[in-house]
Structures are given as structure tokens and as C-alpha cells.
């Protein structure tokens, strides 16, 4: 049997709730060929996952009735992934992987050597939603607008630790050894790495833990997945 379709819906979920879908109607009715009486799974990032039955299906509109909760909301650890956006496809990859790996918030930042000055926040948010749909997640990480790294550091919350992935430590064997639980963030630089000025500031921050990701320089997208893996294994929900 084909697996049950899982959709993110931007609507409150509760038994008996009716939902009208327009954007996803074509996918459900024409691509998946679902019709009245068929069941799908829906989640909204807040209320867990629910079973919903199709009440009526047309090309432009699908009406759902929410039945019962399947899974409670499972929050990821309080982890932000802060990264400098690179080429479009690689940035998309980073957002998708961060959602699958269990980041709570995804923050693109402009650094001294960031290649890309602009991002499409709405597109990246849509990638995070798609990733949550396919990985069984009940939470969708928020993708923030592009901000300057300096501003993010100026506004830093006092209790949040930072795993600073510093390519200058390549091969130095400086791994993540901190045992502090609670809010964390991972910082990954752009293809050009961090500037000396940025590196100096980052090393001086009391909440920053500078780490190496092994003896090879990784591309930023690889580094993001590697850092999320290391953090999740060491301090996260694995
Ligand atoms: N152009 C730079 C490399 C940048 S790699 C140079 O040649 O030095 C992009 C980002 O991935 C880096 O800023 C860092 O955050 C991360 N990264 C890649 N490899 C790493 C490693 N071995 N240790 C720590 N961070 C690494």
C-alpha cells in the first residue's frame, strides 16, 4: 500500500475541524488521485499530526474534515542553524537538511565574505515545510530573514551557547566537548570562510565554542550537515 500523504496545513487542527485546501488541491486530486472518503495526515507545526478525511475533492478545492490526533507535537531541541547563504541550490539543501536534522530555527546571515546578498525567505520557508512533510516531523523550523552576522551577535540571548565551526581549526582536533544543555546555535561560514575580524570577535565571545569538523575543509553545505550531526549526537535528541 502506498504511504499516506502527509501535508502541512496552515489551519488549527482539532476533531471535526473543516479545512479547505486550494494550493494543494491539484496535488491531492490529480497527482495523488485521492477523492472523497480517502484519508491523509495533516500537521500545522503546532498541534501534532492528525488524520483528516477528504469530504469533497475538486481540481481547485479539496475539503477535509479533521478526525483524530495521530502524533503529538514533537519539538526539536532549541537549536538554531546560522549560516551564510551560498549558491541557490546549496542554500536550499542546507535548509532542507536543517529541517530534517532537527533545527528549531534557520537563520541566514550576511558575513564579510558572503557571496549572496539576497535570499527568498518565502521560498526557503517552503523548503523547510516540504522537508517536514517528508521526514515525518510535526514541527516546521522558522527561516528568518537575512540579517548581518554582526547584528545577530549584538542581539545575542545571554543563555544561548554557540558552536562556532572555524575552518582555521581544520585538523586541530578541537571537537565539541561542552556539556551545557539548553539553547544552542551552530554557526557555519560561507565558501570564503570568516574574515580575521569576524574570527577575532567570535573567539572572544564567552558563549562561543570554536570547533573543528575534522582534518579536511568541508563545503559549507557539508559542514552544516556534519555540525548538526555532531551536535545532535552530543547534546541533542538522538
Ligand atoms: N574558504 C575557506 C573554507 C570555508 S568552508 C578556507 O579555505 O579556509 C565553509 C564553512 O564551513 C567554514 O566557514 C566553516 O564554518 C565550515 N567548515 C568547513 N570545514 C571545516 C572544518 N574542517 N572545521 C571547522 N569548520 C569547517
Amino acid at each position: 500500500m502506498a504511504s499516506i500523504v502527509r501535508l502541512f496545513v496552515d489551519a488549527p487542527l482539532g476533531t471535526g475541524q473543516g479545512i479547505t485546501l486550494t494550493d494543494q488541491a491539484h496535488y491531492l486530486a490529480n497527482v495523488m488521485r485521492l477523492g472523497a472518503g480517502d484519508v491523509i495526515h495533516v500537521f500545522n507545526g503546532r498541534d501534532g499530526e492528525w488524520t483528516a478525511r477528504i469530504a469533497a475533492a475538486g481540481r481547485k478545492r479539496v475539503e477535509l474534515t479533521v478526525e483524530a490526533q495521530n502524533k503529538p507535537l514533537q519539538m526539536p531541541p532549541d537549536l538554531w542553524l546560522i549560516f551564510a547563504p551560498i549558491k541557490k541550490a546549496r542554500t536550499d539543501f542546507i535548509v532542507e537538511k536543517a529541517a530534517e536534522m532537527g533545527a528549531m530555527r534557520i537563520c541566514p546571515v550576511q558575513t564579510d565574505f558572503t557571496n549572496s546578498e539576497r535570499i527568498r525567505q518565502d521560498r526557503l520557508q517552503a523548503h523547510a515545510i516540504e522537508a517536514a512533510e517528508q521526514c515525518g516531523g510535526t514541527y516546521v523550523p522558522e527561516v528568518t530573514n537575512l540579517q548581518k552576522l554582526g547584528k545577530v551577535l549584538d542581539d545575542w540571548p545571554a543563555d544561548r551557547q554557540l558552536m562556532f565551526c572555524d575552518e582555521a581549526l581544520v585538523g586541530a582536533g578541537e571537537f565539541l566537548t561542552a556539556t551545557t544543555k539548553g539553547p544552542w546555535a551552530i554557526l557555519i561560514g560561507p565558501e570564503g570562510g570568516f574574515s580575521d575580524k569576524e574570527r577575532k570577535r567570535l573567539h572572544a565571545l564567552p558563549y562561543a565554542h570554536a570547533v573543528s569538523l575534522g582534518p579536511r575543509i568541508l563545503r559549507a553545505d557539508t559542514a552544516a550537515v556534519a555540525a548538526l550531526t555532531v551536535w545532535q549526537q552530543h547534546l541533542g535528541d538522538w
Side-chain angles (χ1 to χ4, degrees):
M1 199 185 95
S3 60
I4 292 188
V5 170
R6 263 188 117 241
L7 279 188
F8 174 84
V9 293
D10 188 11
L13 296 174
T15 304
Q17 180 83 35
I19 298 174
T20 303
L21 300 178
T22 50
D23 292 353
Q24 295 130 314
H26 168 74
Y27 171 73
L28 285 178
N30 304 338
V31 180
M32 300 312 289
R33 306 210 157 269
L34 297 178
D38 289 332
V39 156
I40 65 167
H41 289 160
V42 291
F43 66 103
N44 61 6
R46 303 185 298 271
D47 300 322
E49 181 187 281
W50 292 69
T51 303
R53 196 171 293 276
I54 298 180
R59 292 177 161 273
K60 300 239 162 85
R61 273 165 86 95
V62 168
E63 307 284 348
L64 301 175
T65 309
V66 179
E67 295 190 336
Q69 196 190 44
N70 253 343
K71 268 193 216 173
L73 174 67
Q74 194 194 353
M75 293 294 291
D78 186 356
L79 175 66
W80 300 351
L81 176 68
I82 306 173
F83 74 102
I86 38 179
K87 286 196 197 86
K88 187 170 149 294
R90 289 177 183 275
T91 299
D92 292 352
F93 175 93
I94 291 177
V95 169
E96 179 183 296
K97 298 310 153 201
E100 289 174 32
M101 297 286 296
M104 182 173 279
R105 189 185 280 191
I106 301 170
C107 314
V109 290
Q110 214 170 336
T111 65
D112 289 346
F113 300 151
T114 299
N115 325 49
S116 134
E117 311 275 292
R118 236 166 287 163
I119 55 151
R120 284 275 311 273
Q121 187 276 341
D122 56 338
R123 250 180 28 92
L124 294 180
Q125 186 65 66
H127 277 292
I129 289 174
E130 260 176 54
E133 283 176 340
Q134 71 80 34
C135 77
T138 49
Y139 175 82
V140 178
E142 176 201 2
V143 181
T144 56
N145 273 313
L146 189 65
Q147 302 173 77
K148 288 208 157 56
L149 174 62
K151 175 84 170 74
V152 172
L153 297 177
D154 290 345
D155 298 342
W156 197 262
D159 61 342
R160 190 171 293 274
Q161 306 295 309
L162 177 65
M163 175 177 173
F164 162 38
C165 300
D166 182 1
E167 70 277 0
L169 295 176
V170 60
E174 292 281 326
F175 301 121
L176 183 65
T177 52
T179 51
T180 315
K181 292 265 183 181
W184 271 83
I186 291 171
L187 175 62
I188 302 289
E191 281 165 27
F194 293 100
S195 68
D196 289 342
K197 204 169 128 234
E198 284 168 337
R199 180 166 289 112
K200 211 166 150 210
R201 178 170 184 192
L202 286 159
H203 275 282
L205 298 171
Y207 53 81
H209 307 255
V211 301
S212 145
L213 297 172
R216 289 161 292 268
I217 298 270
L218 308 176
R219 297 190 77 135
D221 46 349
T222 317
V225 177
L228 285 159
T229 309
V230 166
W231 188 89
Q232 279 287 31
Q233 170 90 45
H234 188 62
L235 291 166
D237 65 6
W238 284 20

